[in-house]
Amino acid sequence: MTTTLDTEPKSSADTGRRGSHALRWWVLAVLGIAQLMVVLDATIVNIALPAAQADLGFGDGDRQWVITGYALAFGSLLLLGGRLSDLFGRRNTFIVGLIGFAVASAVGGAATSFEMLVAARVGQGVFGALLAPAALSLLTVTFTEPKERAKAFGIFGAVAGTGGAIGLLLGGVLTEWASWRWAMYVNLIFAAVALVGAVLLLAKHVATSRPKLDWTGTVAVTVALFAIVYGFSHAESNGWSDPATLAFLIGGAVLLAAFVWIETKVAHPLLPLRIVADRTRGAAYLTVFIMGIGMFAIFLFLTYYMQLTLAYTPIVTGLAFLPMVAGMVVSSTTAPSLLLPKVGPKVVISGGFLVAAVGMLWLTQIGLDSGYVTHILPALVLLGLGLGGAMSVAFQGSTAGVQHEDAGVASAMVNTSQQVGGSIGTALLSTIAASAMTDYVSSHQPGPLTMAQAAIESYTTSFWWATATFVLGAIVIGVLMPNTVPAPAEGEPVLAH
């Protein structure tokens, strides 16, 4: 196959030509596979972690670093990865990210020690930070016609939203039927398929000018995001009053403020402030941030509940999440094309948050012997329908009207918002859940029943807070988001022969 899709800037003479319909949808398939690989890796290892711990012999205190190592590298380097895709070509960055992610996954699967496994997870985070922004920015400049754009972002949003749930199912299947190592090795299959597609479909980048990078801003925001993500992770295990927690959180906030100041002064900013100053894009990033906080409660505490209280196996737990996946797919693929043109993004996103809030509220009613059909299934369907629609529209709004040369860093802001939101959600909701459990135990007679009920109390408390988060999100987006359909990004994909 010699025909390739060019997603790099072209002369004005070329901008009238469009890539063939079939090729554009093949590109979407490639980008979706890559996005799925990155997203599911945030949860697939959670299920495999106990088996890896038993095999490699590391302690409970070290276990969090298998998760945190990935989050730190991924979260802190996303903006740099997005800007590199703008400067050196999205195809180049996408392919490097794919190869690096695959190599890191292979090292993790072959790990013979705890240190080797953590190093591999950090490597996955580094190359994921290249891969994720490149994938979304390629999507942004490939689909510019309104109808196709709505459908493409809907499908991509469904992949991004359901990846966590699919990771739980896949992790359970691989761990139970094969080995925890396959939770890492499976990425090689995803990466190989996406790599072949990228080489065949995406045209090579031809540099027209020497790239320039804002090194001062890069260092400031990388260290700031690292400190913030680490600070919230540290708070989960060591508490909010711990000196290290406070030092990292305060230091990260100061550096983030310094980064904003730097971006107003440099000639070639890493993150041009015009990207986040736009109300549509800014509200879209805030949507993904709030969703990251609230969705954490679904995957973590509901997984605990189903496995520890209801005694579901990892595979059954993963299957139990499939109705949520189905709800996300339905709403993600219909909201951008059917609802968005009629009622606008403000209504779709705020409405989605409210539907999700009802689903989360439903989960606050769980007990020691709750049935799946009555207490879990309806909640998951509502959560899927609400969050899927909101996420797909937010993804489309996040790159609305951006200039071609800014598409990568605008896309990176989506992933950064989600990652930081997830880190905050992890720390906040885990702390709240632990406090609720301690309060319940201290006010009741000790015994097995008390401990079991205390666990339920911790789950439902986190669900109440997540409900409030979604309601607050609906209000904030209702105020901030302009109710106009997001304009497509600048930049037209063309066929290179």
Side-chain angles (χ1 to χ4, degrees):
M1 184 173 182
T2 58
T3 302
T4 55
L5 187 65
D6 187 356
T7 55
E8 302 303 333
K10 288 290 180 181
S11 66
S12 59
D14 292 324
T15 57
R17 295 183 290 164
R18 298 280 181 172
S20 75
H21 178 84
L23 276 183
R24 284 201 293 276
W25 293 105
W26 277 111
V27 168
L28 175 61
V30 170
L31 301 179
I33 291 170
Q35 176 72 8
L36 178 63
M37 179 180 71
V38 173
V39 174
L40 67 79
D41 230 67
T43 56
I44 192 172
V45 175
N46 293 16
I47 298 292
L49 197 52
Q53 183 179 358
D55 190 12
L56 299 180
F58 53 88
D60 290 346
D62 294 329
R63 185 171 57 191
Q64 67 161 329
W65 286 106
V66 179
I67 305 298
T68 306
Y70 178 85
L72 286 173
F74 186 62
S76 60
L77 294 173
L78 275 165
L79 284 178
L80 174 60
R83 183 47 95 192
L84 289 176
S85 74
D86 289 330
L87 297 179
F88 297 104
R90 295 172 185 88
R91 178 188 188 270
N92 297 341
T93 310
F94 186 75
I95 289 176
V96 170
L98 278 174
I99 295 172
F101 201 97
V103 171
S105 299
V107 171
T112 56
S113 66
F114 167 72
E115 292 77 12
M116 187 174 174
L117 180 59
V118 171
R121 290 287 288 165
V122 171
Q124 285 182 318
V126 170
F127 288 103
L130 288 177
L131 186 57
L136 183 55
S137 60
L138 282 166
L139 181 75
T140 298
V141 298
T142 299
F143 292 90
T144 55
E145 296 176 4
K147 289 185 178 180
E148 287 190 349
R149 179 179 172 84
K151 186 182 296 185
F153 271 88
I155 295 170
F156 194 81
V159 170
T162 60
I166 293 172
L168 292 174
L169 174 59
L170 193 56
V173 169
L174 293 173
T175 302
E176 202 163 311
W177 290 352
S179 162
W180 68 267
R181 297 181 183 278
W182 274 97
M184 304 289 282
Y185 286 142
V186 71
N187 291 323
L188 274 69
I189 300 173
F190 287 111
V193 174
L195 182 60
V196 170
V199 170
L200 292 176
L201 295 171
L202 303 176
K204 294 181 180 180
H205 172 65
V206 179
T208 56
S209 61
R210 184 176 181 178
K212 296 178 181 179
L213 190 61
D214 167 23
W215 286 109
T216 306
T218 298
V219 172
V221 76
T222 300
V223 177
L225 291 173
F226 179 94
I228 290 170
V229 173
Y230 181 81
F232 279 108
S233 300
H234 197 266
E236 180 189 0
S237 55
N238 294 79
W240 294 98
S241 59
D242 182 80
T245 299
L246 294 173
F248 275 100
L249 289 178
I250 294 172
V254 170
L255 279 173
L256 205 56
F259 168 70
V260 173
W261 180 80
I262 291 169
E263 298 309 275
T264 64
K265 303 298 180 183
V266 296
H268 303 281
L270 175 70
L271 176 65
L273 296 184
R274 61 179 178 270
I275 292 176
V276 293
D278 178 85
R279 284 181 61 193
T280 296
R281 293 194 293 266
Y285 301 141
L286 191 57
T287 297
V288 177
F289 173 78
I290 294 170
M291 206 172 291
I293 296 175
M295 284 185 70
F296 169 79
I298 307 169
F299 293 130
L300 184 72
F301 294 109
L302 194 53
T303 298
Y304 284 164
Y305 172 68
M306 288 192 283
Q307 291 195 5
L308 301 180
T309 302
L310 301 182
Y312 289 4
T313 65
I315 292 179
V316 172
T317 301
L319 290 172
F321 277 102
L322 287 183
M324 180 181 172
V325 173
M328 278 194 162
V329 170
V330 169
S331 60
S332 293
T333 52
T334 56
S337 56
L338 297 181
L339 294 179
L340 182 60
K342 295 179 180 178
V343 299
K346 177 188 295 190
V347 176
V348 175
I349 294 177
S350 294
F353 270 136
L354 291 177
V355 171
V358 173
M360 195 64 81
L361 187 65
W362 200 301
L363 287 177
T364 63
Q365 306 306 307
I366 60 172
L368 288 174
D369 56 354
S370 297
Y372 175 78
V373 174
T374 55
H375 286 78
I376 300 176
L377 176 61
L380 288 178
V381 172
L382 288 170
L383 284 162
L385 290 173
L387 296 178
M391 178 172 286
S392 59
V393 172
F395 268 47
Q396 186 167 339
S398 66
T399 55
V402 295
Q403 299 174 18
H404 197 293
E405 62 270 19
D406 292 334
V409 73
S411 302
M413 272 299 298
V414 180
N415 296 282
T416 303
S417 301
Q418 188 175 35
Q419 187 64 37
V420 174
S423 298
I424 292 174
T426 301
L428 285 177
L429 295 178
S430 293
T431 303
I432 290 168
S435 298
M437 187 172 188
T438 301
D439 292 344
Y440 187 90
V441 170
S442 63
S443 60
H444 291 77
Q445 288 284 57
L449 184 59
T450 295
M451 294 305 297
Q453 190 59 51
I456 297 295
E457 190 71 17
S458 71
Y459 305 150
T460 55
T461 300
S462 71
F463 294 150
W464 275 111
W465 279 87
T467 301
T469 300
F470 287 149
V471 171
L472 179 63
I475 296 171
V476 171
I477 297 305
V479 172
L480 294 182
M481 173 73 84
N483 206 33
T484 54
V485 177
E490 178 189 301
E492 316 291 353
V494 296
L495 285 174
H497 297 280

